[in-house]
Structure formats: structure tokens, C-alpha cells
């Protein structure tokens, strides 16, 4: 039996994006795979009164089990009420790559799906995206499409090179597919190694500053589809303090460079209304866990290291909502 997201008390992304575009902020899309990540996301978003997109990749779906995930999302709706402030919650499939996985998510309580046809030819991308939109819209589910390719790893797909979105394609794509939002490629990429050190310049404090995002492409896209919701993937900033903590406590993460927060702040003020962040959460959790492991080698209660990891994640998300995305107080 199919489960509609409406029965779980979830929201689709339509109103959230309309408000975000008009209000000059972006809704956070945080990936999760487990309980502690979900607790941290919900606590942070309730405390900052931010709408939230709980984002699940197909890898996360395999890892956590689809039935458990659906029930966790249902629990999330009740949990935020318990925390004292009802924020809108979207359950979103991240980087769906086939019609079948999108359909399965739509039939199992997701309120939003991404169909990532960006690795196909333009015409194949249009056809696949339209097929998903036709099915999703019958069920009130919103759909994110993608034009342009981000470098980095998305589940089983590795792209060596990014291909920026071609502004001349966006109007046709949006019209022919009927998508509700569009992910674009303007210089972000997935993972913790978004730039090579030799691509960066050093500021006066010796900090490596990567090349700016291609805001001229974003502006051109906005001109062609004014007010249309735009999505930025690969938007982790790779906080230096977490990388240092990991490396001080037995880790070996080399030359990790992310998107500077001021670049994301600037993007969030435009038609970019959804910003995807996963790697920063992974780094924050790993740093906290490594620290406990190094400082308390006799500790073996998972709550004693997953608890601090959850606290650190929550701080990270509150910071993003308040200082980077501008979504605090918007729920
Ligand atoms: O875009 C990719 C997300 O960071 C999800 O990563 O496929 O390893 O769960 P994952
Ligand atoms: P990061 O790897 O930069 O966190 O990007 C996550 C993402 O885009 C998920 O779809
Ligand atoms: Zn992504």
C-alpha cells in the first residue's frame, strides 16, 4: 500500500521555495543517514525556527532501510511538535537517477524528489525528468531537475570535470519538463576537496581562497527564468577547525577546501532557494568522534561519542541557518 507524504504530516517544497525566493534566503537541505544526524538537524532547525529539507540519497536509503526512513520522517513531524515549534519538513530524495527510484520514494512518503538526469544527453534528460514530473505531480510531490554537471562523487557516479549550466538551455528545460526547481552547476562540487590548492590564492592571514562561483551564469539564468527556484549542490564550506581536529586525532585529510561562506550567503540572497550540505556534517561528526576516541581510549559506550558528535552537528547547522543561508526565523 502506498503512503502519501500528506499522511505523514510532511510538506512539499512549493510554498517553501516561493517564500525563500521572495525573502532572499535559502532553505537548508541536510543529508541524513541515522538517528543522531536527524536529531541534530531537527533540534537546530526548531531552535532557529528554520524550515528544513531532510535529504536522503539512494545510498542512505540502502543504508538506513526505506521503511525505517519513512517512519523516522513521520517521527520527525511529531518530534518537532514535542520540541515546541512546528517547522515545515520536506522529505527529499537526493540525486535520484532513475524513474523507478523516484516512483518508489513518491509511493513511500517522500514529498519531494530529485531526478538527476544531468549525466544524460539534453534530450534524454528532458524525457526522463518529464516522466518523473508527470508521476510526481499526480501525487502532489515536487521535483528538482538538474542541468550542468558538478565534479565529484554522487553515489556511484564520479565526474572528473564539471560542466557549467548553459543558461540558453534553462527556459526550454523548465518549460518542457514542468520541474519545480532546478539544480545548476556554477563552480560548486561534491565532497571535501572542491578545489586544488594551486587553484586558490592566499589571503593576508595565509588562508587559501578558492576562485569565486560563476555568479555571471547565475545572473544569466535568473534573467531567463525570473523568480524560478534554483538549487545549489556541493555547498559545504569544509570548516578548517573540524579538519584540524580530525588530523590532530589520528585522521589524515589532506588539502580539503570548500565553498567560502560569503559566497553561499551571496547565492542565498538570489533565486537560489535550496542549498545542499552533507560533507560539513560528516566532518563535524568525525572530528567529535575522533576527539573522544583519542582523549578517552577506555570509552566504549556509543552514546559517549555519538552524543558529542550530535552536539557538534547541531551547532554547525544552527550556524548555517543563522549566518549563511539566512533561513533562521523564516518558519
Ligand atoms: O551528493 C551526494 C550526497 O553527499 C550524498 O552522498 O551518496 O554518499 O550518501 P552519499
Ligand atoms: P557537499 O558534499 O558539498 O556537502 O554537497 C552535498 C550535496 O550536494 C548533496 O546533494
Ligand atoms: Zn548533490
Amino acid at each position: 500500500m502506498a503512503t502519501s507524504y500528506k499522511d505523514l504530516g510532511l510538506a512539499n517544497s512549493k510554498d517553501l521555495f516561493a517564500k525563500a525566493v521572495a525573502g532572499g534566503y535559502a532553505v537548508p537541505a541536510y543529508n541524513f543517514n541515522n538517528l543522531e544526524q536527524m536529531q541534530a538537524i531537527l533540534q537546530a532547525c526548531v531552535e532557529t525556527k528554520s524550515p528544513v529539507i531532510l535529504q536522503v540519497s539512494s545510498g542512505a536509503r540502502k543504508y538506513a532501510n526505506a521503511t525505517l526512513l519513512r517512519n523516522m520522517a513521520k517521527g520527525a513531524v511529531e518530534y518537532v511538535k514535542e520540541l515546541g515549534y512546528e517547522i515545515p519538513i520536506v522529505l527529499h530524495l537526493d540525486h535520484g537517477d532513475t524513474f523507478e527510484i523516484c516512483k518508489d520514494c513518491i509511493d513511500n512518503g517522500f514529498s519531494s524528489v530529485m531526478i538527476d538526469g544531468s549525466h544524460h544527453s539534453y534530450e534524454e534528460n528532458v524525457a526522463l525528468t518529464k516522466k518523473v514530473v508527470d508521476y510526481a505531480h499526480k501525487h502532489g510531490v515536487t521535483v528538482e531537475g538538474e542541468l550542468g554537471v558538478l565534479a565529484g562523487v554522487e553515489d556511484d557516479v564520479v565526474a572528473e570535470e564539471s560542466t557549467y549550466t548553459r543558461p540558453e538551455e534553462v527556459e526550454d528545460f523548465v518549460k518542457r519538463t514542468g520541474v519545480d526547481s532546478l539544480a545548476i552547476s556554477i563552480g560548486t562540487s561534491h565532497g571535501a576537496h572542491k578545489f586544488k590548492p594551486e587553484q586558490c590564492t592566499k589571503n593576508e592571514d595565509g588562508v587559501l581562497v578558492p576562485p569565486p562561483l560563476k555568479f555571471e551564469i547565475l545572473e544569466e539564468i535568473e534573467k531567463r527564468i525570473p523568480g524560478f527556484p534554483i538549487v545549489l549542490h556541493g555547498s559545504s564550506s569544509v570548516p578548517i577547525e573540524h579538519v584540524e581536529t580530525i588530523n590532530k586525532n589520528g585522521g589524515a585529510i589532506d588539502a580539503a577546501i570548500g565553498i567560502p561562506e560569503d559566497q553561499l550567503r551571496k547565492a542565498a540572497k538570489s533565486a537560489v532557494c535550496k542549498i545542499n550540505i552533507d560533507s560539513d556534517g560528516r566532518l563535524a561528526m568525525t572530528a567529535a568522534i575522533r576527539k573522544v576516541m583519542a582523549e578517552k581510549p577506555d570509552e566504549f559506550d556509543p552514546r559517549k561519542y555519538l552524543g558529542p558528535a550530535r552536539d557538534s552537528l547541531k551547532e554547525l547547522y544552527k550556524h548555517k541557518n543563522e549566518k549563511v543561508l539566512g533561513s533562521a526565523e523564516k518558519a
Side-chain angles (χ1 to χ4, degrees):
M1 242 246 313
T3 308
S4 163
Y5 73 88
K6 294 169 196 158
D7 300 331
L8 305 181
L10 298 163
N12 71 19
S13 62
K14 194 116 197 123
D15 287 354
L16 265 64
F17 287 172
K19 283 187 197 151
V21 173
Y25 61 92
V27 180
Y30 297 133
N31 289 70
F32 82 101
N33 302 268
N34 67 22
L35 174 72
E36 283 77 11
Q37 290 169 325
M38 185 184 245
Q39 288 173 320
I41 296 169
L42 295 173
Q43 289 169 14
C45 291
V46 165
E47 285 178 31
T48 56
K49 299 194 168 124
S50 167
V52 70
I53 298 171
L54 293 173
Q55 191 156 265
V56 176
S57 69
S58 50
R61 228 168 147 248
K62 275 185 220 143
Y63 176 83
N65 179 277
T67 308
L68 283 177
L69 273 177
R70 181 174 63 245
N71 284 288
M72 280 172 87
K74 189 175 173 203
V77 173
E78 287 167 28
Y79 180 55
V80 298
K81 284 186 204 154
E82 221 174 82
L83 289 176
Y85 195 82
E86 246 177 279
I87 55 170
I89 301 173
V90 174
L91 182 63
H92 175 77
L93 170 67
D94 192 22
H95 295 287
D97 58 350
T98 60
F99 171 77
E100 287 70 29
I101 188 174
C102 293
K103 179 181 182 301
D104 198 36
C105 287
I106 294 164
D107 292 345
N108 282 286
F110 280 62
S111 57
S112 172
V113 294
M114 173 187 195
I115 177 68
D116 181 354
S118 62
H119 300 276
H120 296 293
S121 72
Y122 179 76
E123 285 303 326
E124 282 166 357
N125 189 358
V126 168
L128 177 61
T129 306
K130 182 170 177 356
K131 188 173 175 192
V132 171
V133 169
D134 288 346
Y135 187 76
H137 283 182
K138 274 192 215 140
H139 297 82
V141 169
T142 38
V143 180
E144 176 183 326
E146 178 164 335
L147 271 181
V149 180
L150 271 69
V153 185
E154 297 159 1
D155 275 330
D156 305 328
V157 183
V158 182
E160 293 292 339
E161 296 284 339
S162 67
T163 314
Y164 297 129
T165 304
R166 292 155 51 88
E168 56 275 26
E169 288 178 349
V170 295
E171 208 181 334
D172 180 70
F173 187 81
V174 163
K175 217 186 270 166
R176 285 171 63 196
T177 59
V179 277
D180 303 282
S181 60
L182 182 67
I184 61 165
S185 171
I186 56 166
T188 63
S189 61
H190 291 105
H193 298 87
K194 302 189 190 295
F195 304 96
K196 298 203 170 71
E198 53 273 24
Q199 290 176 279
C200 304
T201 49
K202 262 191 189 156
N203 72 10
E204 59 274 16
D205 303 317
V207 176
L208 290 175
V209 181
L213 298 180
K214 300 281 180 199
F215 282 101
E216 62 280 16
I217 299 180
L218 175 59
E219 278 163 25
E220 193 53 42
I221 290 169
E222 287 191 76
K223 266 192 220 149
R224 288 168 190 256
I225 43 172
F228 192 81
I230 300 296
V231 177
L232 265 198
H233 282 246
S235 297
S236 278
S237 295
V238 188
I240 184 88
E241 64 274 21
H242 292 319
V243 176
E244 280 175 359
T245 303
I246 290 171
N247 289 342
K248 254 192 260 162
N249 291 288
I253 295 185
D254 242 9
I257 303 167
I259 311 294
E261 291 185 343
D262 61 341
Q263 296 276 298
L264 296 168
R265 187 76 208 95
K266 185 173 166 187
K269 287 182 179 162
S270 72
V272 169
C273 63
K274 170 175 180 271
I275 290 190
N276 286 12
I277 296 170
D278 186 3
S279 298
D280 282 355
R282 298 177 181 199
L283 290 167
M285 277 197 100
T286 303
I289 292 170
R290 277 200 179 274
K291 190 162 182 288
V292 176
M293 295 286 184
E295 288 172 359
K296 298 179 185 164
D298 59 337
E299 189 55 74
F300 64 96
D301 178 346
R303 292 170 297 187
K304 296 290 174 10
Y305 49 84
L306 293 177
R310 180 178 63 194
D311 294 345
S312 175
L313 257 188
K314 179 176 164 184
E315 278 320 298
L316 175 92
Y317 294 139
K318 285 176 80 167
H319 169 79
K320 302 269 182 204
N321 294 352
E322 284 165 349
K323 303 281 195 272
V324 187
L325 280 66
S327 64
E329 305 299 329
K330 306 292 186 191

